[in-house]
Amino acid sequence: MRVAVYPGSFDPTTNGHLDIIKRTSKLCDKLIVAVLENPSKVPMFSVEERVAHLNEILKDCSNVEVKSFSGLLVDFVKSVNANVVIRGLRGVTDFSYEFQMALTNKSLDREIETLFISADTQYLFFSSSQVKEIAIFGGDIDNMVPEIIKKEISKKLKEE
Ligand code: PNS
């Protein structure tokens, strides 16, 4: 069985992430969306909230599973018996960071391959950080995130 891991912070999940997940899930038997719990970053949403959002968004995707992880990505990939890491690329700026990360992971575990998938043109120009910033300043994020994320961001901003 071909198991791939799509790791990220998903703080929050964007339509760009969703596009990569849907396209990649067709290329493997099982896709594990792996949400990083990173103690050195203060996220907008806790890891539990991010996993819950993804579970809701992906409830109809039968071969996609959502898990959280902490520590090294290569250790997580091995623990779920996968050997492929999926990363989306929006352009050359992503490439230098992603290439370095792929090489680092390769140096940590030679059995693990990173596959890059190009983002769809409509998702090339924004990131989770920009979505948060736009939302904080009252901008329109309708075309950038799934409906549930829009609602959750607005709930979170009201709590603050
Ligand atoms: O969506 P992001 O924040 O760009 O995802 C980055 C992620 C989670 C893929 C990366 O930070 C990661 O794999 N972190 C786990 C720690 C690790 O394995 N570091 C060594 C490789 S750089």
Side-chain angles (χ1 to χ4, degrees):
M1 176 149 106
R2 178 69 69 195
V3 183
V5 171
Y6 178 46
S9 303
F10 302 101
D11 185 43
T13 299
T14 66
N15 286 338
H17 292 130
L18 204 52
D19 174 57
I20 301 279
I21 292 168
K22 290 200 167 149
R23 285 160 60 207
T24 312
S25 65
K26 294 184 192 146
L27 306 175
C28 53
D29 299 310
K30 181 158 131 186
L31 179 67
I32 298 175
V33 179
V35 182
L36 177 69
E37 181 170 17
N38 186 349
S40 64
K41 264 192 191 173
V42 181
M44 177 178 257
F45 295 104
S46 70
V47 71
E48 292 80 11
E49 288 172 320
R50 285 176 274 150
V51 167
H53 299 160
L54 278 157
N55 273 324
E56 173 62 24
I57 294 163
L58 300 169
K59 60 176 186 264
D60 296 326
C61 302
S62 56
N63 70 333
V64 181
E65 206 177 304
V66 184
K67 286 180 180 284
S68 61
F69 79 105
S70 54
L72 287 179
L73 175 62
V74 290
D75 291 338
F76 173 78
V77 171
K78 261 193 295 197
S79 76
V80 292
N81 294 319
N83 61 355
V84 179
V85 171
I86 304 293
R87 292 290 289 170
L89 282 184
R90 285 165 303 182
V92 284
T93 15
D94 277 350
F95 182 76
S96 52
Y97 165 70
E98 294 296 337
F99 191 57
Q100 190 188 14
M101 192 157 70
L103 290 178
T104 306
N105 286 332
K106 191 85 189 151
S107 77
L108 293 169
D109 190 328
R110 299 213 60 77
E111 298 299 312
I112 294 173
E113 298 293 349
T114 300
L115 287 189
F116 297 118
I117 181 157
S118 58
D120 191 272
T121 44
Q122 59 185 313
Y123 306 123
L124 287 181
F125 65 96
F126 64 84
S127 63
S128 292
S129 321
Q130 283 167 330
V131 164
K132 283 182 278 192
E133 193 166 288
I134 294 167
I136 286 166
F137 293 114
D140 182 1
I141 55 167
D142 281 12
N143 295 326
M144 299 178 181
V145 293
E147 193 54 34
I148 178 197
I149 298 291
K150 204 183 139 197
K151 283 194 193 132
E152 292 297 323
I153 292 181
S154 107
K155 216 157 70 179
K156 189 67 81 176
L157 293 177
K158 280 185 196 134
E159 282 167 14
E160 282 169 3

